[in-house]
Every structure is written in C-alpha cells, then in structure tokens.
Amino acid sequence: MTERRNWRRAIATGLRGLLVGLVVVIMGLPLYWVATGALKTNQEIYTFPPVWIPRQPQWGNFVEAWQAVPFGRFFVNSIVTTLGAVALELLFALLSAYALVFVRSRGKGLVFAVVIAALLVPGTVTLLPNYLTVARLGWINTYQGLIIPVAAVAFGVFLFRQHFLTLPRDLLDAARLDGCGHLGLLRHVVVPLSQPVIVTFLVIYLVAHWNDFLWPLVVTNRLEWRTVPVGVAYLYQVEGVQNWGPILAGTVMALVPMLLVYVVAQRWIVKGIGGGALKG
Amino acid sequence: MKVLERTEAATRVRPLAGERLERLRQAIDEWPLFWLLVAPNLILLVVFTYWPLVYNAYLSLMQWDLISPVKIFVGLENYRFLLEDSEFREVVRNTVVFTLGTVGGTMLLGLAFALVLDQPLRGLALARGVVFAPYVLSGAAVAVFWVNMLNPRFGLVAQVASWLGTVSPDWLNHPRLAMVAVILVYVWKNVGFSTIVYLAGLQRIPQELYEAATVDGAGVWQRFRSITLPQLGPITLFLLVVSTIASFQAFDLIRVLTDGGPVNATTTLLFYIWEQGFVAFNAGRAAAAAVVLFALLAVISWLQVRLGERRVSYD
C-alpha cells in the first residue's frame, strides 16, 4: 500500500520535473539561439540542420557590428536618456507622493485624480501632438526631446503614495517633534524607509525607458541621435539578411544591459510586479 | 462608567477644536509647499498628456501634411474616410485578432506556466528566472533575432518543425501566418509578466482550502475549478485590463518583424497611426485613427471591469 503510494508520488514528481523542463526549454531556447548565433560563422548560420555549438567562437562578429553602425553613440544616447528620465521621474514621484501624504493642503484629491487619470491615456494618442510640440521647441535630435516629454510619472506616484500611507505615524511624529522639517523628514525618514519600493520603481522605469522604441524613433532622425533599440533595428536593415553573425552580435549587445539589471534586481522585479497586481 | 465617558468626551472635545484650528493654520501655511512639490510633475502631465489629448482631437478635424502653414478644416471628413476605407477596416480586424491572440495567449499560457512552476521542486527559482527574462528585453532586439529563428531555411523554428516531421512555412511572408508569427513572438516575450502575477496569486491562496477539499474527496480538477480559478478571479481581471492596454501599444515587434505586411496583414491600429502620421504625412487621418483607438480601448476596458465586477467576488 505505502509502496504503491510512494511510486505514485515519484511518478508525479517526475512528471512535474518534466513539465518544468519543457517550460524552461520553450522559454530558454531562443535565448540560447541568439547567444550562440552571435558567435557562429556565416557558414554555420546558413547550415541546416543547425549547428548547436559554434566550433570556433567568432568574437569578431561583435567588432563588426560595433563598426557597421555607431553603436558606441547609441549606447551613450540610451544611457543618458534612460538615466535622465528615470532620475527626473524618481524625483517627481517622491516629491508628489510626499506632498500627497504628508503635506496639508486643499486640492489633494484633485491632484491625485489628475495624476492617476493620466494612466488611462495611451501614449499612442499623444504621439503626434507631442512630436509637433517637440518639433516646435526645436528639440528634435536632442536629449531634452528624448527625456522631458516622457518624464512625467503617474504609476510611480501611486506606488509611492500607497507605500507612504503604511509608514508608522509615530516615527514620523517623533521626527517632527525633534525639529525635522519637511525636507529633512523626506530625506532622513521617508526615503530610508522606502528603499525596497524605490528599487522596484527604478527597475520598472529603467527597463521601460531603455526598451522604448517608438518615441526615440519619432523624435530623432539623425543616426547619431538614435538609441540602442532603434539602432539595432537599423543594423538589421543595413546588414540585410546577408550577414547574420554581426546582426545577432549587435542584438546580444542590446539585450545584455537589461539582462544584467534583471539578474541583479530579480527579487525586486518579481516582488514589485507580482505584489503590485495583488495590491492594485 | 457614565461619568468616565463624559469626562473623556469632555477632554476630547476641547483639544479637537484646537486641533482643527491648528489643522486650518497648517493648511494655509503649507499649501504653497504642496503645490511646489507637485508642480513639476503636474506641468509635464498637462503639457505632454492632457493638452495632446485635446490637440489630437482638434487635429482629427483637419487636413494637414505636418509641414504647410495652413491646416484645412474638414469636419468629420477624416472619420468618414476611415469608416468607408476597406484598408482601415482590415486594420481594425487585425487589431482585434492581434489583441485576442496576445491577451488570450499570454494569460492562458501564463496561468499554465504558473501552475507548473508553483511546485516544491529544486531549481525552480532558475526556471522562473528564465520564464520572466524575455519580458525585460528590448522588443526591437527580440524581433531581430526572431526573424532569424523564423527563417524557413535555417531557423530554429524550421529545426523544431523537422523534429515534428513537418516543414516550416515562410512565416513572415505569408499573409495569414505573418499575424500568427507576430502573436507567437509577442506571447513568448510577454508571457513572463502574467506568469509572475499568477504565481504571486497562487501563493496567496490559503492551503487550508485545498486540505479541506481533499478531505471532502475533491480531485485535482475539481480543486482547480472550485478553488484555484475563483481565487484567481481578481488577478485575472487585472491582467485582462493591463494586457489589453499593453497589446494595443505593441509597435517595435511589428515594425521589425513584418513592417505591417505582407500587404497590411499585420498592420494594427497603432502601426497605422504611425504610418499615416510619419510616413504618409497625413496628420488629420492619423489623429482621427488615434481617437478611434482611444475610444475602442476605453470601451473595452470599461466592459472588462463592468463584466468582471459582476463575475468576480473580492472577498
């Protein structure tokens, strides 16, 4: 009797393991494909059935991709744009949420409603008018054109506000009694107590801006102002499909930064997104 | 007892009045600070979210090539054109197919993946990591290497097809399969999001529910249907709304994989708006299409929430 149950349990465990393996293969195989493809010779790439392990890693593919298009410039553009936008958003979100929770004033409900309602407006609808505004300001092919129009935060204000509401009132009152002003309170009490939420915020917005494609595509038209995602699409166009090695190498270069962010911050991403859904 | 209550009330009333005065004083004192703190974000929201909404509606009544100094007022002409245009009807149809395919695909597969990964097995953290990884990647870059994988002559998909004993078609150049391919790539890239959300939901279901059901003799399928699914109701509604909005915004995958083709077969509303605005320089038509998209999305989200509220219990 117990033996039979043990057998059944072993089979169930084995089956589960098999299913997990299947899921990992489905999701992981394309990543393996692009990583190894970047190191294949052209001959290996065009062979069928495919070569699974490149015989001699072609690191030259990366050099070729780097030289075919101004990749260095794309990276600088992406880094400046992403960090600039995220820094502004963090600042705006912290200040807005702090004001909404800890500063006494009329009009809080209205401000909160205006911020949250912005979530309902898809970027698609604002695309053309925003392009026209940026063009009128002379901001085409500039960092301010890439950064300022996307730097307003709605979701982040919501995220911080929800968290601030849970902070222990006693602690805040104590700090206030000790003569802590608003800025001091924000810097020395609220921000240190919000570190996990801040990291979640940073990761979510970092990924969103690094990967953004449509806005940089519209607001820049000179090659030296393109960002990494737009640059990779361009690399694919100029190299055609004759030269897959460098194209895949360029693709890998575009993927690596966010993969690194992901590996470092996985815990926060999972918590932030999973938890956000449950609280929302 | 009564005396105590009365004294308590008495001592509470007087400070309350003082507190109110204090609050009023602070409200007056602090409003400049409040508006200073919310101003930067608020100004940007007004300039780059709310004003464009109004300006877009205005543009949708104009005929304009984005360059010439005069805009010609044409009333509802742009809307009439879209309504009667067979190409636009196809675009709307494509958008519906794409949305149904991607939202259905990511949610069903996400639930399946979450059920598989919600097990006490070693190495599962790594498996979850692999499932979620594509979600953080650039869609443009993902699309580039999927073009390679979908190649019928030497791609990964051709290899998988030959393992299964068939031959891979030329996905991206086939009018109907191109849409299937775009949906598949989108689902692969985004399924990690619904997986993570469902996983978080599964882990919040109280184990006692399952234990009680097992004692009552419920099988695996019964437990899934009468406990797991209802408990995941609110999360499913959340995912439905969020995924629909995300699906409407998909651009980079389509632009790189098919560029809207072959023959408009994968042109969705967003892609059409971009094409009309920035390739054909037809601002009025693009703006009108954007209004249509906004209205469509608003109606769908509203319906989802309304229907969801009726079906889903939140306790």
Side-chain angles (χ1 to χ4, degrees):
Chain A
M1 200 47 186
T2 44
E3 208 170 280
R4 228 169 95 196
R5 200 181 291 162
N6 279 346
W7 265 108
R8 279 178 78 181
R9 187 168 295 170
I11 291 173
T13 310
L15 211 69
R16 281 175 193 163
L18 216 65
L19 282 174
V20 172
L22 189 69
V23 170
V24 170
V25 168
I26 292 174
M27 296 305 289
L29 207 53
L31 295 175
Y32 176 83
W33 182 267
V34 63
T36 52
L39 296 171
K40 287 180 190 171
T41 62
N42 257 335
Q43 205 188 350
E44 284 171 322
I45 287 174
Y46 295 105
T47 310
F48 194 86
V51 178
W52 288 97
I53 302 162
R55 191 161 289 188
Q56 212 167 36
Q58 301 292 307
W59 298 104
N61 283 341
F62 286 89
V63 180
E64 211 174 305
W66 193 272
Q67 285 166 350
V69 292
F71 243 113
R73 188 62 208 260
F74 297 161
F75 268 91
V76 172
N77 292 341
S78 270
I79 290 168
V80 173
T81 305
T82 304
L83 293 185
V86 171
L88 282 180
E89 279 163 339
L90 179 65
L91 184 72
F92 293 165
L94 280 174
L95 293 181
S96 298
Y98 181 89
L100 284 167
V101 176
F102 299 115
V103 181
R104 295 216 170 109
S105 170
R106 276 162 192 269
K108 271 191 195 184
L110 177 72
V111 171
F112 189 57
V114 167
V115 171
I116 294 305
L119 282 171
L120 302 175
V121 182
T124 317
V125 184
T126 55
L127 184 68
L128 190 68
N130 278 346
Y131 164 78
L132 294 169
T133 306
V134 166
R136 212 165 293 153
L137 289 167
W139 285 1
I140 300 292
N141 297 317
T142 62
Y143 283 126
Q144 57 271 36
L146 283 162
I147 294 172
I148 305 287
V150 296
V153 251
F155 173 70
V157 176
F158 176 73
L159 195 72
F160 281 140
R161 183 179 170 271
Q162 294 303 96
H163 176 70
F164 289 173
L165 288 171
T166 67
L167 291 180
R169 286 268 157 181
D170 298 348
L171 194 64
L172 293 159
D173 287 340
R176 214 173 271 160
L177 279 178
D178 286 346
C180 216
H182 275 302
L183 275 180
L185 210 61
L186 180 62
R187 259 188 60 198
H188 300 298
V189 183
V190 173
V191 167
L193 284 174
S194 309
Q195 264 166 14
V197 191
I198 292 176
V199 176
T200 304
F201 176 96
L202 286 178
V203 173
I204 291 174
Y205 280 84
L206 212 63
V207 170
H209 287 301
W210 182 273
N211 292 338
D212 192 16
F213 184 79
L214 188 50
W215 183 247
L217 177 73
V218 161
V219 86
T220 66
N221 53 36
R222 276 206 245 115
L223 194 57
E224 69 264 29
W225 281 100
R226 298 300 205 184
T227 56
V228 171
V230 184
V232 165
Y234 176 74
L235 172 74
Y236 162 66
Q237 277 170 358
V238 288
E239 294 282 310
V241 282
Q242 309 306 317
N243 214 357
W244 267 114
I247 296 175
L248 291 179
T251 308
V252 168
M253 288 195 283
L255 296 176
V256 161
M258 283 309 108
L259 271 181
L260 285 179
V261 167
Y262 174 52
V263 169
V264 172
Q266 191 183 355
R267 203 156 52 95
W268 285 287
I269 301 181
V270 169
K271 239 201 270 167
I273 289 178
L278 294 173
K279 271 180 236 145
Chain B
M1 219 30 209
K2 239 175 201 168
V3 178
L4 197 79
E5 261 173 35
R6 204 178 296 156
T7 46
E8 237 182 34
T11 46
R12 253 200 355 241
V13 164
R14 229 175 283 148
L16 199 67
E19 204 178 279
R20 228 181 242 165
L21 208 75
E22 172 70 7
R23 220 180 267 169
L24 194 70
R25 197 184 61 79
Q26 278 191 358
I28 296 164
D29 273 357
E30 294 197 328
W31 72 263
L33 177 70
F34 174 80
W35 289 101
L36 191 73
L37 292 179
V38 297
N41 197 29
L42 222 49
I43 291 170
L44 283 188
L45 281 175
V46 168
V47 175
F48 292 109
T49 300
Y50 288 106
W51 162 245
L53 207 58
V54 177
Y55 192 63
N56 183 75
Y58 163 79
L59 277 181
S60 76
L61 307 175
M62 300 289 150
Q63 191 186 60
W64 186 40
D65 61 2
L66 275 83
I67 299 150
S68 80
V70 262
K71 305 182 183 77
I72 303 160
F73 179 81
V74 293
L76 296 174
E77 174 59 30
N78 290 317
Y79 294 95
R80 198 189 60 85
F81 173 86
L82 292 180
L83 214 65
E84 288 171 1
D85 184 32
S86 67
E87 189 196 324
F88 186 73
R89 271 202 293 273
E90 200 191 341
V91 167
V92 172
R93 202 164 50 232
N94 290 340
T95 310
V96 171
V97 172
F98 181 77
T99 308
L100 287 177
T102 54
V103 173
T106 51
M107 286 180 63
L108 284 177
L109 211 59
L111 178 59
F113 282 5
L115 288 169
V116 168
L117 295 177
D118 186 34
Q119 315 272 2
L121 276 181
R122 245 179 286 162
L124 272 190
L126 186 73
R128 286 176 197 160
V130 172
V131 169
F132 191 68
Y135 184 71
V136 302
L137 301 179
S138 143
V142 163
V144 169
F145 74 77
W146 270 89
V147 171
N148 177 280
M149 292 203 303
L150 287 165
N151 187 290
R153 268 186 40 241
F154 53 80
L156 174 66
V157 176
Q159 173 67 77
V160 173
S162 91
W163 284 337
L164 299 173
T166 59
V167 175
S168 174
D170 191 357
W171 295 91
L172 299 174
N173 289 315
H174 186 289
R176 241 181 256 138
L177 291 178
M179 181 55 96
V180 177
V182 173
I183 290 173
L184 275 177
V185 177
Y186 184 97
V187 171
W188 177 81
K189 180 175 154 29
N190 291 292
V191 67
F193 178 76
S194 46
T195 305
I196 293 292
V197 175
Y198 270 134
L199 258 176
L202 284 175
Q203 278 157 12
R204 297 244 306 214
I205 301 177
Q207 282 304 308
E208 299 88 68
L209 289 178
Y210 290 110
E211 280 155 22
T214 312
V215 170
D216 288 347
V220 176
W221 171 244
Q222 256 180 318
R223 271 177 287 170
F224 176 72
R225 247 195 49 192
S226 52
I227 300 173
T228 313
L229 274 187
Q231 288 280 323
L232 290 178
I235 291 185
T236 303
L237 177 62
F238 164 83
L239 276 176
L240 201 62
V241 176
V242 172
S243 309
T244 307
I245 295 170
S247 173
F248 266 73
Q249 310 258 27
F251 180 79
D252 42 12
L253 285 181
I254 296 173
R255 166 85 170 127
V256 176
L257 281 172
T258 61
D259 208 5
V263 219
N264 295 328
T266 54
T267 301
T268 58
L269 259 170
L270 170 56
F271 197 86
Y272 181 83
I273 292 165
W274 173 77
E275 242 182 357
Q276 286 298 323
F278 297 97
V279 181
F281 299 112
N282 205 329
R285 216 172 275 169
V291 171
V292 172
L293 180 138
F294 189 36
L296 212 58
L297 200 54
V299 169
I300 291 173
S301 303
W302 182 76
L303 274 179
Q304 284 171 342
V305 172
R306 274 304 296 273
L307 291 178
E309 268 173 357
R310 214 171 293 163
R311 287 271 181 84
V312 172
S313 70
Y314 282 91
D315 40 36

